[in-house]
Amino acid sequence: MLEIRNLHAGYGSVEILRGIDLDVHAGEIVAVLGSNGVGKSTLNNNISALYKPFSGTVRFEGEEISGLSSSEVVKRGVIQVMEGRRCFGHLTVEENLLTGTYTRNLSRADTAVALERVYHYFPRLKTRRASQAGYTSGGEQQMTAVGRALMANPKMILLDEPSMGLAPQIVEEVFNIVKDLNEKEKVTFLIAEQNTNMALKYADYGYIMESGRIVMDGAAEDLRTNEDVKE
């Protein structure tokens, strides 16, 4: 589904990503792991075309997408949930969710169906639907951000640091919902995460990044038991 080859990217004249090769197959949960500052968010930003790579290719379903606008990438089904959740704080939870349908031109009836689909997976959001998103908890904001992505009818969600700033039990809840969406809605996930144990518990495959390069990859279960990864 996603094929990245020899990707070099960064900001201005500063190169962050150095020759990234990465594959994501349809129906997988793939984790990109590494400490803060190794380039995980830069990778997602280049996949979603928020930034243009210096060189290399990013193909989605066989089509080069790095030359497209970010809105065109969204229309092809690649939706990014950015680090820090990025909810519209002055809008209600439900209004935030509705922004996810912007590119879909849904009827009122279809919009209602899409909302109920989100509320099925995130029942807490239904009880908070009229609350301003800026006054909800970090976990509720993360759920709102993922729910907003689901409203866009994604084929793939790029999920950036979903555990950041959340209590362990909320992190577990969010990852359980991700697994549910993957299995029941057939949404493919590429998750950038520092919490290696949690990510590899739910992922099918993982990539380890250091200093803008992939230094190791393999099946998630193999990486979980690898002594170098543990260290």
Side-chain angles (χ1 to χ4, degrees):
M1 179 177 262
L2 180 70
E3 180 185 11
I4 298 173
R5 291 293 177 269
N6 197 29
L7 185 68
H8 292 259
Y11 308 100
S13 60
V14 180
E15 187 177 62
I16 306 295
L17 303 180
R18 302 176 175 91
I20 297 293
D21 292 326
L22 181 146
D23 293 301
V24 180
H25 297 96
E28 283 187 329
I29 299 176
V30 173
V32 178
L33 307 164
S35 59
N36 190 37
V38 300
K40 303 187 302 297
S41 295
T42 301
L43 176 63
N44 277 347
N45 288 341
N46 277 266
I47 296 169
S48 61
L50 289 174
Y51 293 90
K52 306 301 181 188
F54 298 161
S55 62
T57 60
V58 180
R59 295 184 179 276
F60 182 71
E61 296 186 323
E63 180 185 355
E64 176 67 47
I65 61 172
S66 58
L68 302 178
S69 69
S70 55
S71 60
E72 289 171 327
V73 172
V74 167
K75 289 177 182 178
R76 280 161 174 75
V78 181
I79 316 297
Q80 184 174 359
V81 178
M82 300 183 76
E83 179 182 335
R85 300 176 278 276
R86 307 292 181 93
C87 294
F88 299 106
H90 63 291
L91 299 181
T92 66
V93 167
E94 187 160 292
E95 287 167 342
N96 268 272
L97 295 177
L98 290 172
T99 64
T101 66
Y102 183 76
T103 61
R104 296 183 64 191
N105 298 316
L106 296 180
S107 67
R108 182 170 295 185
D110 288 340
T111 299
V113 170
L115 275 173
E116 284 307 311
R117 176 192 184 200
V118 171
Y119 290 142
H120 169 73
Y121 289 103
F122 301 95
R124 190 183 307 186
L125 296 186
K126 190 165 188 175
T127 64
R128 300 284 278 158
R129 64 199 301 174
S131 301
Q132 275 189 280
Y135 292 99
T136 60
S137 69
E140 289 164 346
Q141 289 180 24
Q142 185 67 73
M143 292 174 190
T144 299
V146 176
R148 180 176 59 196
L150 190 60
M151 291 288 286
N153 198 31
K155 296 177 182 177
M156 176 182 286
I157 292 179
L158 311 175
L159 193 52
D160 203 342
E161 302 286 6
S163 72
M164 180 178 288
L166 301 183
Q169 66 268 26
I170 300 298
V171 173
E172 187 94 39
E173 185 177 351
V174 168
F175 270 93
N176 277 323
I177 293 169
V178 165
K179 191 70 173 178
D180 222 17
L181 291 173
N182 173 254
E183 292 177 349
K184 296 178 180 178
E185 301 289 340
K186 308 306 178 187
V187 179
T188 303
F189 283 87
L190 180 63
I191 303 177
E193 182 57 81
Q194 292 185 55
N195 188 335
T196 302
N197 286 331
M198 182 62 69
L200 291 178
K201 178 180 176 182
Y202 289 88
D204 301 299
Y205 201 86
Y207 291 86
I208 311 294
M209 283 186 72
E210 285 184 7
S211 303
R213 292 184 172 88
I214 302 293
V215 296
M216 188 184 303
D217 66 279
E221 188 56 40
D222 293 339
L223 292 178
R224 283 184 73 189
T225 57
N226 185 289
E227 291 302 322
D228 291 331
V229 174
K230 288 180 181 180
E231 185 179 345

